Amino acid sequence: DVKVTQSSRYLVKRTGEKVFLECVQDMDHENMFWYRQDPGLGLRLIYFSYDVKMKEKGDIPEGYSVSREKKERFSLILESASTNQTSMYLCASSLSQGSTDTQYFGPGTRLTVL
Amino acid sequence: DAKTTQPNSMESNEEEPVHLPCNHSTISGTDYIHWYRQLPSQGPEYVIHGLTSNVNNRMASLAIAEDRKSSTLILHRATLRDAAVYYCILRDHSNYQLIWGAGTKLIIKP
């Protein structure tokens, strides 16, 4: 079974702190994704990566950056956390781009910025 | 991207079949229909996908209308563990992204 793990289930940070969210997948997947999920807004794509060191902006990249130095690991970085970044963050991975491709999700990190 | 429309919520009794509808009137010929679900306090998980023909797997069945403008996810015998938000998503070959709507919250009554 594919496993996607995220470094923390719950995280509390203060405004202005630099925050790192880590995601690791164990199935040699090419693609990795970071979403945030907010009530009433559903899942929104922040960034994705289709290869090591490659990244593409999603729908809401402002205030975030990402890093993919190794195939299995995709990091989301909040350079200076703000209260409006309080949210559930979900990481996902997938094998390829095709129409039938399946995304596998981690359990999520609930981030609170005070 | 083509969009989907789902009811906000549905209720069903335990051990009865559940039919979750999805409308996608602007679907294109190359769009696959995917279903995911999100159990409470978990990340979404894949359920099933199809193009034109009906599909079955161990979790559910997917019935696709002949004109492909709608589809139905069928849980044959719902259990309390099936209580989740179910998302219907269209996906084509050129798109890395899954476009997520609000989904249908399925409530299972014991």
Side-chain angles (χ1 to χ4, degrees):
Chain A
D1 277 350
V2 175
K3 192 157 187 182
V4 179
T5 56
Q6 296 184 229
S7 49
S8 306
R9 289 300 303 268
Y10 300 93
L11 207 53
V12 179
K13 295 291 182 181
R14 298 208 172 273
T15 302
E17 279 192 82
K18 190 169 186 175
V19 181
F20 292 87
L21 301 182
E22 300 282 332
C23 176
V24 178
Q25 51 95 2
D26 67 357
M27 282 300 289
D28 203 34
H29 281 177
E30 300 293 329
N31 308 316
M32 296 188 75
F33 307 81
W34 274 108
Y35 295 88
R36 64 177 283 176
Q37 185 174 28
D38 301 288
L41 296 176
L43 276 80
R44 293 179 292 166
L45 183 65
I46 305 171
Y47 268 98
F48 67 96
S49 169
Y50 52 88
D51 201 353
V52 174
K53 296 191 187 295
M54 305 303 288
K55 61 185 179 185
E56 292 282 345
K57 292 179 180 179
D59 299 320
I60 50 163
E62 296 79 19
Y64 303 95
S65 62
V66 290
S67 172
R68 193 164 179 204
E69 296 296 318
K70 293 186 177 181
K71 192 174 186 180
E72 67 271 18
R73 190 179 298 268
F74 193 34
S75 302
L76 180 69
I77 303 150
L78 287 67
E79 294 289 341
S80 177
S82 63
T83 54
N84 63 13
Q85 292 179 309
T86 291
S87 186
M88 170 68 84
Y89 290 88
L90 291 159
C91 175
S93 72
S94 71
L95 181 62
S96 65
Q97 186 193 355
S99 308
T100 60
D101 190 42
T102 298
Q103 289 191 11
Y104 296 86
F105 284 81
T109 296
R110 185 164 295 280
L111 173 67
T112 302
V113 182
L114 301 175
Chain B
D1 296 298
K3 294 194 175 176
T4 62
T5 304
Q6 299 176 253
N8 289 333
S9 65
M10 290 183 64
E11 286 191 3
S12 181
N13 294 319
E14 194 177 12
E15 298 189 5
E16 289 185 358
V18 179
H19 291 233
L20 295 163
C22 181
N23 287 320
H24 28 78
S25 57
T26 59
I27 191 169
S28 74
T30 56
D31 284 341
Y32 276 76
I33 301 158
H34 288 248
W35 284 81
Y36 283 72
R37 73 178 185 180
Q38 187 171 19
L39 302 170
S41 301
Q42 294 188 28
E45 64 176 348
Y46 166 80
V47 177
I48 200 167
H49 73 270
L51 183 62
T52 56
S53 305
N54 294 345
V55 184
N56 300 295
N57 66 21
R58 64 175 178 82
M59 290 180 73
S61 296
L62 176 60
I64 301 172
E66 203 167 323
D67 63 4
R68 299 207 331 122
K69 293 184 185 300
S70 65
S71 60
T72 302
L73 181 71
I74 302 164
L75 307 179
H76 294 286
R77 194 164 165 267
T79 69
L80 295 177
R81 289 178 296 178
D82 291 319
V85 178
Y86 287 78
Y87 298 94
C88 170
I89 300 163
L90 301 182
R91 184 122 189 255
D92 70 25
H93 64 280
S94 65
N95 197 350
Y96 281 106
Q97 298 189 39
L98 296 176
I99 309 298
W100 298 79
T104 296
K105 183 175 183 178
L106 177 62
I107 298 164
I108 304 296
K109 297 181 288 184

